Amino acid sequence: MTSTLLHAVVGSPTAPSAQPSDVANKVHHNKNGKGFVNPWPSYVERTGMEMFRKMIWMRLSGKWVNPDTTPPTIPVHKPSFLPTRQTDKLRATWLGHACYYVEFPGGLRVLFDPVFTDRCSPYQWIGPKRYTDMPCEIEDLPFIDAVVISHNHYDHLSHPTLQKIAHKYKNVHFFVPLGNKPWFKHMGLDDTNVHELDWWEEKEITLSPADRGEGDQSDAGDVSAVIGCLPCQHTSARTAFDKAHTLWASWSVTSGGKKVWFGGDTGYRTVPELPKEEFDYGEKHADLPHCPAFKEIGDLRGPFDLGLIPIGAYDPRFIMSPMHANPYDSVNIFVDTKCKMALGIHWGTWVLTTEEVLEPPRVLKQALKWKGLEEEVFNTCDIGDSREFD
């Protein structure tokens, strides 16, 4: 299959989107050191050593139980991609964990947080190993115009994967949060088409046909998109010594009359250690602060036709909640960001925490009912499956 080659021009949007009134204060920039911070009371900083001690204690006490990954778990199907850039619908295909391939009306093709390796680790002989297969290879994707990266954790930023993308798709553009561009050069990747953005910044990308390949009968002209970097509640690190040195982000992509919000990896509120049977969204804990950024995103940049929202890697709750949403958090994020529809991400691929591997979609249904929402508005799918949205 041959692809249409497109020349891309990236610059500031002709019509900038709304921003918060205090955006110039850059409250998420660390004023007392290097890197960035989560500037809200909904986030409580926990050191790596503190988390390590808690995990060791849980293992020794028998409270840490690794989930059973014995097949069958999540079905994996070979994905089907559109052979040309012609489509009048928004189409999203789950490729595992946080990776989605989104086909926009008008022709734009965006890949979010691609990790096409067996392990999410700096080494392929140690670290979390897939319990579900990759549905395809990078080479199976017909077009990639933009790759959007949420942050630099190994389950979201993969050097071998980006090497393959850069080798096959010569005109691809990478959009990353602040501080991540030097990594591309350090890892031997060309940083010419890498665009660093801070929260609330955005770029307009215009792709013009250079040579249409056989099988692409589209007569469309230029393809344009606005890609925006937005807040989320998380952190970053590639080693034990660079925590929060680079920024983390959620993202919006607007093209062909459709708008997508990609949550990447985020927490919503910090929950203290509670008895396992205690519901942390009950009246007793109603005053726990939640991250205000998502409502701000919804008010200023929403509504979104589709949200790609994390629903997994949340247990033990008192350890993971500052950084990872559980499904109850996820439905609140869905409402705050004003997404019309959503699909769950950040589950079904690697064991990162202790919840059962099939628990996130099951709890998501409970959370939607709790919030008074229909199941159809926020769903999950099998790995490799596609969903279309009018």
Side-chain angles (χ1 to χ4, degrees):
M1 182 182 296
T2 56
S3 64
T4 303
L5 301 178
L6 295 172
H7 292 314
V9 176
V10 177
S12 299
T14 52
S17 302
Q19 295 182 335
S21 59
D22 63 348
V23 68
N25 296 337
K26 297 188 180 297
V27 293
H28 58 292
H29 288 228
N30 188 354
K31 306 298 190 294
N32 301 310
K34 186 172 183 178
F36 305 90
V37 299
N38 291 289
W40 314 288
S42 55
Y43 181 82
V44 175
E45 182 64 48
R46 285 164 182 171
T47 66
M49 183 56 66
E50 180 184 4
M51 294 176 66
F52 179 74
R53 285 199 303 266
K54 289 180 180 293
M55 290 177 183
I56 291 297
W57 174 81
M58 289 187 71
R59 288 185 183 277
L60 292 174
S61 64
K63 293 184 177 181
W64 186 286
V65 179
N66 289 327
D68 182 11
T69 59
T70 305
T73 53
I74 298 93
V76 179
H77 309 289
K78 184 175 178 60
S80 174
F81 304 112
L82 299 175
T84 77
R85 293 180 180 273
Q86 290 181 303
T87 177
D88 57 358
K89 293 184 178 180
L90 182 68
R91 192 170 186 268
T93 304
W94 188 34
L95 302 179
H97 199 55
C99 182
Y100 254 92
Y101 181 72
V102 179
E103 298 162 292
F104 285 83
L108 183 76
R109 303 296 182 253
V110 180
L111 188 61
F112 294 92
D113 278 4
V115 180
F116 283 70
T117 55
D118 197 34
R119 296 182 186 269
C120 59
S121 166
Y123 309 104
Q124 287 303 297
W125 51 269
I126 194 171
K129 181 179 173 63
R130 286 179 181 267
Y131 63 86
T132 49
D133 293 333
M134 289 189 295
C136 66
E137 298 289 344
I138 281 292
E139 292 78 9
D140 296 324
L141 302 178
F143 317 100
I144 305 177
D145 302 313
V147 174
V148 173
I149 303 292
S150 63
H151 66 297
N152 72 357
H153 283 158
Y154 284 92
D155 55 326
H156 298 260
L157 177 65
S158 165
H159 177 242
T161 301
L162 297 191
Q163 275 185 312
K164 290 182 179 180
I165 292 172
H167 176 73
K168 179 173 174 60
Y169 306 91
K170 303 298 184 183
N171 296 323
V172 69
H173 284 252
F174 299 91
F175 294 84
V176 300
L178 279 185
N180 284 286
K181 184 171 182 175
W183 176 87
F184 282 77
K185 187 172 184 179
H186 175 72
M187 298 303 291
L189 295 164
D190 184 3
D191 63 354
T192 304
N193 288 352
V194 179
H195 310 280
E196 270 190 345
L197 282 77
D198 199 354
W199 288 354
W200 300 105
E201 291 182 344
E202 54 190 358
K203 292 289 186 181
E204 185 169 32
I205 179 171
T206 303
L207 303 101
S208 301
D211 179 28
R212 298 194 181 280
E214 183 181 353
D216 189 341
Q217 303 301 318
S218 172
D219 57 0
D222 290 354
V223 175
S224 64
V226 174
I227 299 180
C229 181
L230 295 167
C232 68
Q233 181 172 295
H234 199 57
T235 189
S236 65
R238 297 289 281 185
T239 72
F241 309 103
D242 65 345
K243 184 177 181 180
H245 285 194
T246 62
L247 188 58
W248 48 95
S250 66
W251 292 85
S252 65
V253 179
T254 305
S255 186
K258 297 295 182 181
K259 189 185 295 187
V260 172
W261 182 71
F262 175 63
D265 197 353
T266 187
Y268 187 68
R269 60 209 283 266
T270 297
V271 176
E273 188 169 5
L274 303 172
K276 190 163 182 66
E277 66 278 2
E278 188 168 334
F279 182 48
D280 63 62
Y281 268 104
E283 185 177 347
K284 181 179 176 182
H285 306 290
D287 293 335
L288 288 177
H290 65 271
C291 181
F294 302 107
K295 187 176 188 307
E296 204 166 35
I297 289 170
D299 289 344
L300 294 174
R301 299 288 174 90
F304 298 94
D305 297 286
L306 175 64
L308 302 173
I309 301 177
I311 63 170
Y314 50 78
D315 197 35
R317 182 82 159 131
F318 74 99
I319 294 176
M320 304 310 300
S321 59
M323 299 182 299
H324 287 170
N326 79 353
Y328 287 89
D329 298 327
S330 305
V331 297
N332 279 323
I333 292 171
F334 170 78
V335 171
D336 286 355
T337 52
K338 298 183 180 178
C339 292
K340 299 175 184 176
M341 305 288 288
L343 292 167
I345 64 172
H346 206 258
W347 73 286
T349 306
W350 293 287
V351 170
L352 303 176
T353 46
T354 63
E355 74 270 10
E356 297 175 14
V357 297
L358 294 176
E359 182 180 290
R362 184 171 70 245
V363 176
L364 177 61
K365 292 181 179 180
Q366 298 169 3
L368 289 164
K369 184 177 181 181
W370 163 79
K371 197 70 176 177
L373 298 170
E374 298 294 328
E375 286 186 10
E376 292 74 19
V377 301
F378 190 165
N379 219 319
T380 60
C381 63
D382 294 345
I383 296 174
D385 277 2
S386 301
R387 294 287 185 269
E388 290 187 343
F389 303 90
D390 291 322

